[in-house]
Every structure is written in C-alpha cells, then in structure tokens.
Amino acid sequence: MNGDGIEEARIRAAVAGYARRRAWAEAEAVLTEVLADPEVRRIGGLIDVEEHRSGMELRDEFQVFQDRYALAVRGGDVALLAGVCAGKHGRWGRICVLSAGHEDRAPHWGTTVEGPVAWIGSAPDDD
C-alpha cells in the first residue's frame, strides 16, 4: 500500500469511528428521553413491584440455589460457578443464581439488597 492508500485508510477509519460514536450518542439521547417519560416510569415501577412480589413467591423453591451460590463464591468453587446462569442485570445488582438452562421452566431469580427478585430476560448492561 502506498502513502496515499495508507492515508485514505486512516481517514476511512476515523470517519467510521466518528459515525459509530455519533450513532451511539443519538441512541443514548433517545433512550434517555423515552425512559424519562412519566408513563414509562410508572410502568417500570409496576414491573419492579411485580418482580419483587414474584421473587418472594418463589423464595421457598429457589433459596437453596442462593445458598449454593453463596457457598461457591466464598469457597471459590469455579466448577459450580461455571454452571450458574449467566443472566444478570449489573446495573440493578441482580445475579441469577439458578443453574444455566433454566429459562424454559423458570424466570431468572436472585436476591438484591431489597430482597428476592424474579425477572425475565437480560439487559444490555450484562457484564
């Protein structure tokens, strides 16, 4: 590749990076506006209440998974932790403690500082 080709590739990469950053910024602005809508916030509150109600309802059945998870974390049981569901909502402090593959028969379930919680699906902030 000659000097002109290298410069052209550098410019193309810079333009692509700018376009990507701008698209993310625009998407974030739209999402922020939608999430600020009073009706969206009201419905979000209803979902939160239902997730916690469901979590309490399922506690007797799933608490053993929470206990197993806590022991695995304390004991560094990597094999057991590798078999735990990958579902989590990091922003809300949720980690599913059920075994991987449970989604066909049960929602995600774990505990938060507010108590047990059950939820369906995962979030983009899963990390």
Side-chain angles (χ1 to χ4, degrees):
M1 191 179 278
N2 63 25
D4 290 340
I6 293 171
E7 182 66 13
E8 183 177 329
R10 188 187 68 73
I11 291 170
R12 285 181 188 272
V15 168
Y18 172 79
R20 219 177 7 262
R21 286 188 301 278
R22 181 168 177 156
W24 277 107
E26 288 175 10
E28 188 172 305
V30 168
L31 287 172
T32 298
E33 189 172 326
V34 168
L35 293 174
D37 181 90
E39 184 65 6
V40 171
R41 294 178 65 81
R42 184 186 73 76
I43 292 170
L46 293 173
I47 291 170
D48 189 58
V49 166
E50 179 57 26
E51 288 175 341
H52 282 88
R53 188 202 61 74
S54 296
M56 285 299 293
E57 184 177 294
L58 295 167
R59 183 181 210 161
D60 289 345
E61 182 179 350
F62 292 151
Q63 183 63 44
V64 66
F65 292 97
Q66 176 65 41
D67 298 342
R68 178 191 70 163
Y69 178 82
L71 281 171
V73 169
R74 281 195 301 274
D77 187 340
V78 176
L80 193 144
L81 291 172
V84 172
C85 176
K88 62 186 182 300
H89 283 189
R91 183 177 296 169
W92 295 282
R94 297 177 177 187
I95 297 174
C96 182
V97 297
L98 302 180
S99 298
H102 68 84
E103 294 90 343
D104 290 342
R105 60 190 183 283
H108 294 296
W109 189 88
T111 58
T112 68
V113 294
E114 291 95 22
V117 63
W119 72 97
I120 297 173
S122 284
D125 67 342
D126 283 358
D127 53 18

